[in-house]
Amino acid sequence: MAELGGPPVVSVSNLAKSFGPTRAIVDATLQVLPGEVHAIVGENGSGKSTLVKILSGVHQPGAGSLEVAGSPARFFPTPRAAQAAGIATVFQEVLTVDTRSVLDNIWIGLESVSNRVRQAEKRRRARAVLAELLEHPPALDDEVGDLSLSERQACSIARSLIREPKLLILDEATSALDFSTRSRLFGMVRRRAAEGASTILITHRMDEIDEIGDRITVMRSGSTVGTLARGEWNPEILVQMMTGAAEQAAREGREPVASADSAVVLEARELALRPGARPFGLSLRAGEVVGVAGLEGHGQDVFLKALAGLEPVEGEVERVDGSARHVVRSHRGASRLGIAYVPRERRAESIFEWMSIVENFAIATAQEDRRGPFLSERSSSTRFAEYLDLLKIKIGRGGDAITTLSGGNQQKVTIARWLAAHPRILILNDPTRGIDVNAKRDLYTLLDVLAKEGLAVVMLSTEVDEHLELMDRVLVFREGELAAELSRAELTRERLVASFFGGQSSTDSTGTASTRTASTGTASTGTASADNERQAS
Ligand SMILES: Nc1ncnc2c1ncn2[C@@H]1O[C@H](COP(=O)(O)OP(=O)(O)OP(=O)(O)O)[C@@H](O)[C@H]1O
């Protein structure tokens, strides 16, 4: 952190905020210093978003006081008032107008400034921000709907950065970013800090906090429980403060359940994820947990959707059930064959905002709640109760709107929805995005239990640690092709990250090959490691 001194940019004390009976913030105190990166951590539903929404003028507090630059101030009555005071916020859910251009999206909401800025100047400034943020920026006239999730989130971030705010608030905004954009954003945050501008970073990722956090405030059940400076925290201390209990032990990595003898449950042949791409295959066995990794937009998404019958690609996906084989031709067909898909983008793809929590849960399995011509709400609620415990979902009442839940709890409801369908193959598209560290571990444990019962899991994750901890093997995609397959024995952080960038076989101290460039092979259990060693020798 730059040693800048001076009064805090903003300071809130004894803040409280309730939504009906829910006490989202009980007693929060936070000071953000000039030029610092101030992380806020806490379990799902602990009040982090509500706190920054108050600072952003979205919510009004029930109690508390605010100082801006050392002087008492009124809480901002509107988001516009907060922006006028130099506060710009990027939220977790990607907020873009998909039918408008990149340029329009970056200048949306800045009409008062933008009317005075000439078009050429607008383009120049937008281009400059995007060039710093993205390795391959889209054209300014491209429609935002055609961009990847990461690029769309980059547009939202660019919208905030172009205001050159004194305080930039990133509320889980990095979770939709790919590896390289996140690194570039952190570079920009550091440059801003050196110039005296401050950032609040809400994240569930320890690596991000370690990378750029100067101080951390921890929240628990609506209260701030303490602020620590760099050097004072480690994961155990933080989790202890977040939960009031010791951290669940990080596992060394799961014991694999599947073996070469386990039944094959799905086979993909000659898949080409884009025209002209080198085809590859996959053979998935009962009990396997297979990771899908790579830089954003390199085909991982298309691959998952192809397995779930959502994206037509060249090649064939076949559900195998003993001697029976069924080609997956549509999403509906895939569901009928026991293949469930949990999408990545909560807001656009999986949450029905006008429905209640229980309705959101029951939507994929409503036939189980049919009583004659009617749906039994009680039956849905009873089924849901099982998952409340299993996934530790924090809700008020099941009949409340899904939008009353914190982001992480919404995500857990969508996971519960698909688990309730008792799939044989579960395809998860970055499911732990936005869920807290203990909830992640709960999900890992659950997946482990389900794998032992024979469930096969294919899971995209943007977190390297998640691959290391959870996966039996990891498929790495690059430029729309299967670029590498790392078996459990080969999985290290360095190898995985190197393979994102096309890292070829490197050799460790024991002379074992690490990554390989996949030939037109079939990714399958148990053979990859031996294969790799053969290729290396
Ligand atoms: N608009 C709302 N109406 C009703 N309850 C709400 C609303 N917004 C938040 N809450 C409740 O307030 C509590 C705190 O939510 P908040 O979103 O601030 O948590 P969070 O720490 O940001 O969680 P996460 O890590 O899951 O994003 C939760 O119990 C949530 O359900």
Side-chain angles (χ1 to χ4, degrees), residues 19 22 24 43-50 204 404-409:
F19 295 99
T22 307
E43 290 191 305
N44 294 132
S46 57
K48 306 177 296 293
S49 291
T50 308
H204 291 294
T404 62
L405 293 188
S406 72
N409 282 304

Side-chain angles (χ1 to χ4, degrees), residues 201-391:
L201 175 73
I202 297 184
T203 178
H204 291 294
R205 295 182 57 164
M206 205 50 226
D207 56 343
E208 294 188 347
I209 297 170
D210 282 340
E211 195 176 334
I212 57 167
D214 293 310
R215 294 197 302 155
I216 300 187
T217 291
V218 183
M219 294 196 73
R220 181 164 82 228
S221 308
S223 295
T224 45
V225 289
T227 297
L228 304 175
R230 185 165 270 279
E232 292 174 349
W233 73 73
N234 63 35
E236 290 71 39
I237 293 174
L238 289 181
V239 175
Q240 170 99 45
M241 288 172 76
M242 277 164 57
T243 61
E247 184 188 13
Q248 289 187 13
R251 283 169 313 179
E252 282 297 300
R254 294 171 48 250
E255 277 297 304
V257 176
S259 70
D261 298 333
S262 305
V264 171
V265 290
L266 185 112
E267 227 161 43
R269 276 188 303 273
E270 296 289 310
L271 287 190
L273 301 182
R274 60 171 170 77
R278 191 176 41 196
F280 66 95
L282 166 79
S283 186
L284 182 70
R285 291 177 189 274
E288 259 198 294
V289 183
V290 176
V292 172
L295 297 175
E296 171 91 16
H298 280 253
Q300 304 88 304
D301 222 57
V302 180
F303 172 60
L304 292 194
K305 287 183 172 160
L307 296 184
L310 279 160
E311 182 103 18
V313 298
E314 236 173 77
E316 199 162 66
V317 176
E318 232 176 23
R319 167 84 169 93
V320 185
D321 191 1
S323 56
R325 288 176 167 265
H326 303 275
V327 176
V328 173
R329 296 186 202 282
S330 65
H331 187 43
R332 193 180 281 261
S335 308
R336 270 201 301 270
L337 294 168
I339 303 173
Y341 173 74
V342 180
R344 182 177 196 193
E345 250 188 291
R346 223 174 10 240
R347 199 187 184 96
E349 296 182 288
S350 56
I351 284 294
F352 299 91
E353 292 188 348
W354 61 94
M355 289 185 181
S356 73
I357 300 166
V358 169
E359 285 167 343
N360 263 279
F361 158 76
I363 195 154
T365 48
Q367 72 286 355
E368 293 187 31
D369 303 321
R370 233 169 246 296
R371 301 289 177 269
F374 301 109
L375 284 180
S376 158
E377 248 182 74
R378 180 178 298 180
S379 160
S380 308
S381 299
T382 310
R383 291 194 300 118
F384 185 44
E386 192 188 321
Y387 295 94
L388 281 180
D389 286 348
L390 210 55
L391 293 169

